[in-house]
Amino acid sequence: MQQKSRWYIRVFVGISGWISSLFVLFLFAMIFKGAFFNSSVMFMLGILLVFGAYLMFLSADGDFIEQVSLANAFAGEALMSVAIFNMPIKENVSFLIISIIFAILMLVIPYYIHRFLSAIAMSISFFLFLKDSAYTEVIFGLFGILVFVLLLFRDRFKNTNMLEAILYGLLSSFIFINYADYKQEIIQNHMLIEFALGGVVCYLEDTC
Amino acid sequence: MSLQHTSPPLSAWREFFEKMLLILTGLSFIASVSFFIAYNWNELGRFFKFILVEGLMLISIGVSVYTKNIWVSRISLFVASFLVGIFMALFGQVYQTQADSWELFFYWALLILPWVFVSRFIASWLLWVGLIETAIILYEPHSFMFFRGLNLFWKLFLFNTLFLLVWEYISKKLDIKYAFVVHKLLLSFSSFSITVLLLSHEVFIYTFVWVIWLIFIYYIYRLLSMDIYALSVMSLSIVVGIDILFFRIFNATSFDNFIFIVLMLGMLTLFLGGYLSKWLKRLAKEEDSYATKE
């Protein structure tokens, strides 16, 4: 299991992993041209890639292996998401399934950056699932408060690293959601408070 | 604290909430002044508007000078810095000066600079950098030959790199190490803009400038001093830049086997990313062990 490094090194590893995953996706798209029109094959390919990445994460002993597994995991998740969208189901159900998948992967794959990014993906897909509901702003407002309280008390929990990665991801996604949804006037009132809370957490952590 | 698995004591909580409430009060005050003037624009006379903003500015400065609480002083000065901008915008609206929009932000930044130095407050520095960056983005020179027709990223790169050099110089002369966030922002803007420029038409010129910039960053932040943030930014620029350049070279030569290009680029990114992250982690470890010995 990897040791926690400085945040900017983690950002660098995350972005380069993302770029590599784009190339992996491209490669798969070109090799398996036919498979990309078939949702179930694409989904299976995604599961295989993520499972491979999971095995590599477990035995990850070097930075190169870490990069490869991160790229594979991102590529696999992208394939699975596209496959779910291509399935003949309602759009908001697709978002719910994607959100559940990311929640499972976030808990299972033992890697800080992966947990952080999966938490963002999970939260955004869950928001898109709830988007038409009347309670969206209430639910996300309460989530925001819960995330903030948990962040402050995270060192009281057993797996601090895991909790921290997930909570930072959720907090970032809330800010992103507020920005993206600004024009539709949903939950924008929480924006200032969340920004302030996020800033204060950063300030306390001395990570900014 | 997280290593010891303990939570902050009660006094730290009180201090934290005091600071947070003060910051929120300052921000709400600024918002209320600007909205009050905007909503009552037709009802208020111009002299009343000027007296209101100038009066509040004087009160903020007075509070900042006479209070014994350092945080109240800093936030009052921050509010006063913001009120300068509101005052300048108000002046521009009342007298219709027809000035370019970049001038407002540039002169605002220039006027509040002494207060920013005095306040020793990160939020003030963030405001200052934000104003300068906005001025650069809006700057459309008409007469200054060298800057005529420059694209946005080239403009951002030139100014941010120049500011970075100046910042490095003055931060050593003056005691402003606490405003490390300015240095990080300038570095990030500079790196982002030169890397984006590699996508433009004049690729040879920008590649040359990019290589010089990489050497410069390595020399300053690895050989002369040690700054792992700067080296991380440089590493990211290397990975993205090399990908862009390779892609452009192979695309230009209309290489038939596209699968081979993607495979090669994927491998290159993985190896480079892996190697550079290993290098950065090693440097961080070295720095940590050095700090422990100290």
Side-chain angles (χ1 to χ4, degrees):
Chain A
M1 207 157 310
Q2 51 118 35
Q3 217 182 358
K4 201 174 135 187
S5 48
R6 297 182 190 191
W7 69 267
Y8 35 83
I9 301 181
R10 277 182 270 151
V11 169
F12 165 68
V13 173
I15 296 178
S16 49
W18 231 336
I19 299 169
S20 317
S21 75
L22 276 180
F23 288 122
V24 173
L25 267 179
F26 256 129
L27 200 66
F28 272 95
M30 279 181 290
I31 295 171
F32 303 103
K33 273 178 196 159
F36 268 67
F37 295 106
N38 187 334
S39 302
S40 37
V41 177
M42 214 150 92
F43 192 75
M44 289 309 291
L45 207 62
I47 290 180
L48 275 177
L49 274 175
V50 172
F51 187 68
Y54 172 67
L55 292 179
M56 277 195 272
F57 273 127
L58 285 185
S59 60
D61 203 18
D63 298 280
F64 176 68
I65 299 290
E66 255 176 41
Q67 285 281 332
V68 176
S69 38
L70 204 58
N72 273 354
F74 288 155
E77 283 152 13
L79 277 180
M80 281 199 283
S81 309
V82 176
I84 290 166
F85 270 114
N86 286 344
M87 285 175 188
I89 44 175
K90 273 187 178 177
E91 199 187 43
N92 62 338
V93 180
S94 309
F95 280 122
L96 179 65
I97 298 171
I98 291 169
S99 161
I100 294 168
I101 289 173
F102 274 108
I104 296 167
L105 293 176
M106 176 182 80
L107 295 171
V108 171
I109 294 183
Y111 196 73
Y112 194 95
I113 299 160
H114 188 270
R115 279 187 169 138
F116 173 78
L117 293 169
S118 301
I120 295 180
M122 181 200 72
S123 171
I124 291 173
S125 12
F126 191 64
F127 171 76
L128 292 170
F129 162 65
L130 280 180
K131 207 167 178 251
D132 299 328
S133 155
Y135 299 106
T136 316
E137 52 186 287
V138 180
I139 292 171
F140 270 80
L142 290 174
F143 269 167
I145 295 167
L146 184 73
V147 164
F148 178 61
V149 173
L150 280 173
L151 250 178
L152 289 178
F153 291 101
R154 67 185 179 281
D155 48 12
R156 296 218 174 147
F157 291 88
K158 211 174 173 183
N159 201 339
T160 313
N161 246 3
M162 171 182 160
L163 194 67
E164 190 189 275
I166 294 171
L167 294 175
Y168 275 141
L170 289 177
L171 205 64
S172 316
S173 71
F174 291 164
I175 292 168
F176 176 76
I177 287 168
N178 279 328
Y179 254 134
D181 223 47
Y182 182 71
K183 281 181 186 162
Q184 293 180 31
E185 297 184 4
I186 301 173
I187 56 176
Q188 58 168 311
N189 296 334
H190 301 281
M191 194 169 80
L192 184 70
I193 299 167
E194 279 170 14
F195 257 121
L197 295 184
V200 169
V201 171
C202 277
Y203 173 73
L204 280 179
E205 283 295 303
D206 203 20
T207 52
C208 273
Chain B
M1 233 173 248
S2 61
L3 282 174
Q4 293 166 346
H5 288 269
T6 53
S7 285
L10 205 63
S11 57
W13 275 105
R14 225 191 71 184
E15 197 186 336
F16 156 67
F17 279 113
E18 269 176 14
K19 270 185 213 169
M20 195 176 83
L21 287 173
L22 265 172
I23 292 170
L24 286 177
T25 310
L27 290 174
S28 310
F29 181 72
I30 293 160
S32 64
V33 173
S34 38
F35 285 128
F36 179 76
I37 293 172
Y39 275 100
N40 299 296
W41 186 261
N42 294 326
E43 284 75 23
L44 301 174
R46 62 181 178 190
F47 287 114
F48 182 79
K49 287 175 209 157
F50 281 123
I51 289 167
L52 180 74
V53 178
E54 285 174 27
L56 290 173
M57 208 191 299
L58 284 174
I59 292 169
S60 303
I61 297 164
V63 171
S64 168
V65 172
Y66 289 106
T67 183
K68 282 178 183 166
N69 185 322
I70 183 79
W71 280 96
V72 174
S73 169
R74 280 173 177 171
I75 288 157
S76 308
L77 214 50
F78 178 72
V79 169
S81 311
F82 238 107
L83 287 170
V84 170
I86 296 176
F87 174 76
M88 288 174 74
L90 185 66
F91 190 86
Q93 281 295 316
V94 170
Y95 294 109
Q96 291 296 322
T97 54
Q98 306 296 327
D100 289 337
S101 43
W102 69 269
E103 287 182 53
L104 166 72
F105 297 98
F106 178 72
Y107 289 114
W108 181 358
L110 207 66
L111 284 172
I112 65 167
L113 190 60
W115 290 349
V116 173
F117 269 107
V118 171
S119 68
R120 299 179 64 83
F121 187 35
I122 288 182
S124 297
W125 279 108
L126 281 177
L127 169 69
W128 191 80
V129 173
L131 291 175
I132 286 289
E133 296 298 332
T134 315
I136 294 169
I137 290 167
L138 295 173
Y139 181 51
E140 288 295 340
H142 304 295
S143 55
F144 206 48
M145 245 181 80
F146 181 65
F147 292 111
R148 186 187 281 269
L150 284 182
N151 80 39
L152 174 68
F153 293 106
W154 190 222
K155 216 161 53 177
L156 275 173
F157 171 71
L158 284 177
F159 280 103
N160 279 296
T161 313
L162 198 72
F163 271 135
L164 187 66
L165 283 171
V166 175
W167 183 262
E168 282 299 329
Y169 180 74
I170 60 165
S171 66
K172 282 195 175 73
K173 296 275 171 200
L174 305 167
D175 181 25
I176 45 173
K177 281 272 178 199
Y178 65 93
F180 55 89
V181 72
V182 178
H183 158 88
K184 283 190 164 83
L185 281 174
L186 292 175
L187 253 170
S188 308
F189 283 132
S190 168
S191 163
F192 174 74
S193 37
I194 188 64
T195 315
V196 170
L197 280 171
L198 294 176
L199 287 164
S200 63
H201 290 300
E202 295 93 2
V203 67
F204 291 109
I205 301 164
Y206 292 133
T207 309
F208 179 70
V209 177
W210 179 62
V211 173
I212 302 277
W213 180 83
L214 291 176
I215 295 169
F216 159 76
I217 295 288
Y218 185 79
Y219 179 72
I220 305 259
Y221 298 109
R222 177 69 187 100
L223 301 180
L224 285 187
S225 61
M226 173 75 106
D227 185 336
I228 299 173
Y229 179 81
L231 297 174
S232 306
V233 168
M234 183 193 82
S235 305
L236 190 60
S237 177
I238 290 175
V239 170
V240 179
I242 285 181
D243 279 342
I244 292 172
L245 290 176
F246 264 71
F247 200 79
R248 292 192 72 155
I249 291 165
F250 282 118
N251 230 12
T253 51
S254 62
F255 200 73
D256 286 337
N257 204 341
F258 199 67
I259 295 182
F260 177 72
I261 300 173
V262 174
L263 178 70
M264 214 182 67
L265 278 175
M267 293 298 283
L268 189 73
T269 313
L270 283 172
F271 273 111
L272 258 178
Y275 176 76
L276 290 172
S277 70
K278 192 177 177 178
W279 177 61
L280 290 170
K281 282 176 189 171
R282 185 170 57 79
L283 290 180
K285 217 172 168 181
E286 272 175 27
E287 198 180 55
D288 288 342
S289 61
Y290 185 71
T292 321
K293 273 181 203 167
E294 288 263 299

